[in-house]
Amino acid sequence: VLRDWERFYKKHFALTVDLSGILIPKKPTVGEWRLIFIVLGLFNNKVYDACKRKFLCYKSTDNLDAGVPKNDRDPKNGTYAIWARDTVEADEVHKNKSAMYLAQKNIKGITLLERMILELKYFTETGKHLDVDSWTLCSGSRSSDGNVPDACCIDGAFKVGWSNVESIGNILRSREVVS
């Protein structure tokens, strides 16, 4: 798994990384989980551009780095690993739960950067997209005004948009992570 991620970062970002010393959180015992490595030197615009080289993408803001300054985890603080639920659609258990509610309950959600890396990794493995029937509420990230990025696939294109911190819905769901 480590070598696969190292090849992924070399191929898509021209980064030579050694993930052997990275602390891996304990894998949850219930459900399916995917290990994701986020490496030092990544930022939202760089990952979005890598996605755009592989598939059609849209975003509702020009600069994702400036637009999403707050993240629960950030690779500028060093390379890290997380476990994310390994499902095509965002977590069914988190439908009708806002980012505000999830934060109050201390439920960790995926960041926009992590979600984009997950999209790129999944697409390179399968040729398919995530969230074709739902939207991932990237509840681990916030804009400067408190809004929350979201991500989905609409008509074969990956889309990054925005939700209010209090937004809820059947198709708007967080992807839970363990860090």
Side-chain angles (χ1 to χ4, degrees), residues 93-110:
V93 297
H94 295 308
K95 68 180 180 182
N96 292 315
K97 295 179 183 174
S98 70
M100 182 181 294
Y101 173 87
L102 295 166
Q104 290 169 346
K105 297 295 182 181
N106 293 316
I107 297 171
K108 293 180 183 178
I110 201 164

Side-chain angles (χ1 to χ4, degrees), residues 1-75:
V1 173
L2 295 177
R3 301 301 160 246
D4 183 52
W5 275 102
E6 289 170 353
R7 286 189 296 271
F8 171 83
Y9 280 111
K10 183 70 171 172
K11 179 180 180 178
H12 297 285
F13 298 96
L15 294 172
T16 301
V17 296
D18 177 6
L19 301 173
S20 61
I22 303 304
L23 178 65
I24 298 174
K26 185 177 178 186
K27 183 180 181 180
T29 57
V30 177
E32 297 295 320
W33 295 83
R34 177 186 280 257
L35 184 61
I36 302 172
F37 288 93
I38 305 296
V39 300
L40 179 70
L42 290 183
F43 48 92
N44 286 322
N45 289 331
K46 186 175 189 175
V47 175
Y48 180 86
D49 289 345
C51 289
K52 197 171 177 180
R53 286 191 295 272
K54 296 298 284 181
F55 43 80
L56 190 59
C57 296
Y58 298 102
K59 58 184 176 176
S60 56
T61 186
D62 288 336
N63 187 332
L64 292 173
D65 295 319
V68 186
K70 300 173 187 172
N71 297 284
D72 291 345
R73 293 160 302 282
D74 195 318

Side-chain angles (χ1 to χ4, degrees), residues 114-159:
E114 294 161 355
R115 175 60 183 79
M116 291 189 295
I117 286 291
L118 179 59
E119 182 75 26
L120 182 59
K121 184 81 162 88
Y122 184 79
F123 187 86
T124 59
E125 292 171 356
T126 68
K128 298 177 182 177
H129 289 284
L130 299 168
D131 292 313
V132 293
D133 294 322
S134 66
W135 294 25
T136 293
L137 180 66
C138 300
S139 59
S141 296
R142 295 284 190 283
S143 67
S144 56
D145 63 2
N147 286 328
V148 183
D150 55 47
C152 65
C153 180
I154 298 175
D155 297 327
F158 178 68
K159 179 186 176 293

